Amino acid sequence: MADRPEKEWRSLREAAAGCRRCDLWRNATQTVFGEGPADATLMLVGEQPGDQEDRQGRPFVGPAGRMLDRALAEAGIDRDRVYLSNAVKHFKFVPRGKRRLHQKPDGGEIAACRWWLDRERALVRPRVTLALGATAARALIGKIVTIGGTRGRTIELADGGLGRVTIHPSFLLRIADKADARAEYERFVADLGAALALAEG
């Protein structure tokens, strides 16, 4: 990061640590802000932090993060050169004994947190932002869309950047059939590669 963008990013991150724009902060351990170089040409946006992300304060460090790391490597993408964030910065969950089960953010929570995502994107100014899953796509595009209807297309975003949509890596963890899982994983790797090619083009 150059000095000025790094200072601006740190200031934004510090401000987000005290975010009260919706009620999710009340039960979450901490805000999980984005991370990566401020001059990244490719930005990946997921749904929200999971249990491990909430505990560690970093995006994509749990099971879905490990799946993403594997796919990034196969697509020839260095994680350290990509900016990673989430549409919602606090973990939304319901307690079940000692476990904390993920709950999908609602429209109000997505809208409240889009304020932070917009500022991250304004600072990083990625050429391409890849939305991982429907929640991220909604935050990025500003309306409800389906993965099937938007996957594989390049979308011109309101700020002039380019957007693309794919699945969230957690989806891959839930596919029971091995053949289906492998096919979907290969398609996910291809989506990552296509986003990189567009970002570097």
Side-chain angles (χ1 to χ4, degrees):
M1 289 186 182
D3 288 345
R4 182 176 176 185
E6 182 176 0
K7 288 179 181 178
E8 292 176 351
W9 181 82
R10 290 187 186 282
S11 177
L12 190 65
R13 180 187 176 96
E14 288 168 6
C19 182
R20 303 293 185 267
R21 295 180 68 85
C22 74
D23 287 337
L24 292 184
W25 66 272
R26 296 182 183 279
N27 295 319
T29 303
Q30 59 192 312
T31 302
V32 180
F33 204 65
E35 65 179 28
D39 61 350
T41 59
L42 178 60
M43 181 174 182
L44 305 185
V45 180
E47 180 186 88
Q48 67 167 338
D51 180 75
Q52 288 302 311
E53 289 80 5
D54 176 67
R55 296 180 193 280
Q56 297 183 42
R58 297 184 60 211
F60 292 100
V61 292
R66 290 190 289 276
M67 178 66 75
L68 176 62
D69 286 346
R70 177 183 155 203
L72 285 171
E74 288 201 30
I77 300 173
D78 183 350
R79 175 173 168 141
D80 292 337
R81 295 184 61 192
V82 175
Y83 190 90
L84 297 170
S85 193
N86 281 298
V88 173
K89 309 297 194 228
H90 287 110
F91 180 32
K92 183 177 182 179
F93 64 92
V94 59
R96 286 287 185 271
K98 293 184 178 181
R99 299 181 64 201
R100 303 189 299 171
L101 303 182
H102 162 277
Q103 280 194 310
K104 187 175 181 178
D106 63 32
E109 292 154 352
I110 294 168
C113 219
R114 187 176 178 183
W115 193 89
W116 296 109
L117 180 61
D118 286 347
R119 274 144 192 82
E120 283 179 292
R121 295 192 66 257
L123 177 61
V124 178
R125 289 168 47 177
R127 177 174 172 79
V128 175
T129 303
L130 180 62
L132 308 178
T135 296
R138 179 176 181 177
L140 183 65
I141 298 169
K143 62 181 181 181
I144 296 173
V145 297
T146 64
I147 302 299
T150 52
R151 191 175 189 176
R153 292 172 43 209
T154 299
I155 302 160
E156 187 168 342
L157 302 174
D159 62 4
L162 301 176
R164 288 180 70 90
V165 176
T166 187
I167 59 169
H168 193 282
S170 64
F171 175 70
L172 297 168
L173 301 172
R174 301 192 297 270
I175 302 175
D177 183 87
K178 289 185 178 180
D180 289 346
R182 182 63 196 175
E184 192 58 64
Y185 173 77
E186 290 176 354
R187 191 177 178 197
F188 180 56
V189 171
D191 286 343
L192 291 171
L196 176 65
L198 187 63
E200 293 184 341

